[in-house]
Structures are given as C-alpha cells and as structure tokens.
Amino acid sequence: MAGWLYRWGRWPLGLIFAAACVATAVYAFGYLYGSYSPRNPFAARFAVSGLDVPAHFFGAGLALLLAPVQVWGWLRRRAPGLHRLAGWLYAAAVLIGGIAGLLLAPKAQGGWASGAGFALLAPVWLLSTGLGIAYAVRGELERHRRWMWRSIALTFAAVTLRLILGIGMGVLHLRFLPVYIFAAWACWSINLVLCELLLYLQAWRQRRVPVQPSFAAAG
C-alpha cells in the first residue's frame, strides 16, 4: 500500500509543485514589467533600491521555472546533457537571485525582524546550491541530488512565503506586519524541515527494499 501511494502520489504532487513554481515565476516576471503603484509599500520602497530588485526577481523567477525541470526524473535519465545545461542555468539564477536577495534584506518591510530571516535565507540558498554543483562535478551524484533538493526547497520559499501571507491575512485576517515577519522565517525553515524529512523517508525506504539475488554472480 505504501509503495502504491509513493508511486502514484508523486504525479499529482509533482504537478502541483510545477504549477506553483510556474505561477510564482510568472508573478515575479510580471512584477518587473508591471506599472509602478505608489500606494504599494513594496513598490515604493523598491523603487529607490536600484538593480538589486530586478536582479532578485529575475534570478528567483528563473530558478523557479527551472526547479521542476531539475527534479524531472525522465529528463535526467533520457537527456542528461539537457539536465546539466538546465542545472548550470539554475545555479546562475540562484547566484543572481541570492546575492540580490542578500542586498535587499535590510530594506524588507518590518526592518531587521523580517530582514534577518531573508538575510539568512540568501547564504543558505547559495551554499546548498554551490555544494550541489560541487558534488555533481566530483561525480558524487547521491550527495549532489540531496543538496539540490535542499536548494530547490529554498527556491520554493518564494511560494511558501505567499501561501503564508495569503492564509494569514486572507483567511485568518491577521495584521500584515506580524504575518510578514513570521513568513520571512517560516517560508524557508518549514521547507527545509519537510525536505529533510522526505530525504530521510526516502533513504529509509531504500534500505528496506530487499536486494534481488544476482543469478549471474550465483552462477
């Protein structure tokens, strides 16, 4: 039963993951080309920020678009060259988005109460992606896979951030600033905890799969 749920549950979850990544990426790119609204506190603050705003939205948006491609097992098996190319593009997008995000953190709504959460997210995002690429270059593919899952979990923080804001303000009708400060820390820490849990469960499942006898070796 557990094996059946694992096999068939991956497809709907994968589609939801891909749809959420694409929708948030479209929002990020749309923000770059949207009209300026002086009543929007984010727009008013970012208008005087400089290139770090478009760089962050572009890098994070591109990383979100490429994240479903990177975890697509069929592409990794059938077109490894395309998988590697997408991986390098993903790493470049994280580099741009992470550095820009680190520069933007002190300007976040809520001051350092929220900015510190984003300031910590940026280097962790960069480090996990860098380790994933380094292990791929060294040929340690299992470590590469695990670290890239952590990187993608941090990329998905852009989606989780908006879910927390939507639930906190739209459903629970809480005030913006407390919800935003909570979201600045929770959007990536929750993702990392869930990622580590899934990696642990996957490793546990693999250990429980019985090793099939090798008739060639027996002969």
Side-chain angles (χ1 to χ4, degrees):
M1 181 66 176
W4 182 86
L5 288 174
Y6 176 79
R7 286 192 301 272
W8 291 102
R10 288 184 304 169
W11 284 104
L13 289 176
L15 290 175
I16 293 171
F17 169 78
C21 286
V22 171
T24 309
V26 169
Y27 166 83
F29 291 129
Y31 190 91
L32 293 176
Y33 298 100
S35 58
Y36 169 71
S37 174
R39 295 184 179 180
N40 186 331
F42 292 96
R45 180 168 294 217
F46 290 160
V48 296
S49 182
L51 292 177
D52 45 8
V53 173
H56 177 66
F57 276 85
F58 174 79
L62 181 58
L64 280 166
L65 282 180
L66 292 170
V69 177
Q70 286 304 99
V71 300
W72 189 11
W74 184 91
L75 181 69
R76 186 172 61 251
R77 293 187 300 269
R78 302 294 180 87
L82 185 57
H83 172 77
R84 285 192 294 270
L85 175 60
W88 284 112
L89 290 174
Y90 172 84
V94 171
L95 181 64
I96 295 170
I99 293 175
L102 189 60
L103 296 174
L104 280 173
K107 308 165 188 175
Q109 294 288 317
W112 275 106
S114 58
F118 294 126
L120 188 56
L121 164 60
V124 175
W125 191 27
L126 292 166
L127 177 62
S128 61
T129 308
L131 286 171
I133 296 297
Y135 282 125
V137 172
R138 291 167 55 178
E140 299 183 44
L141 298 184
E142 180 58 24
R143 288 185 173 181
H144 159 71
R145 183 186 65 83
R146 295 176 71 86
W147 278 105
M148 290 308 293
W149 270 109
R150 294 178 180 113
S151 170
I152 289 171
L154 294 169
T155 300
F156 200 72
V159 178
T160 311
L161 173 71
R162 285 155 181 82
L163 287 175
I164 294 174
L165 292 175
I167 293 171
M169 294 187 297
V171 177
L172 302 178
H173 305 290
L174 301 175
R175 291 187 298 118
F176 165 75
L177 200 55
V179 175
Y180 188 71
I181 293 172
F182 172 77
W185 292 90
C187 67
W188 59 274
S189 57
I190 290 175
N191 286 8
L192 270 187
V193 169
L194 291 176
C195 180
E196 291 300 323
L197 177 62
L198 290 174
L199 289 174
Y200 173 81
L201 290 175
Q202 186 179 57
W204 175 81
R205 180 178 176 274
Q206 289 173 347
R207 288 195 299 268
R208 288 180 59 88
V209 174
V211 178
Q212 298 297 326
S214 174
F215 294 102

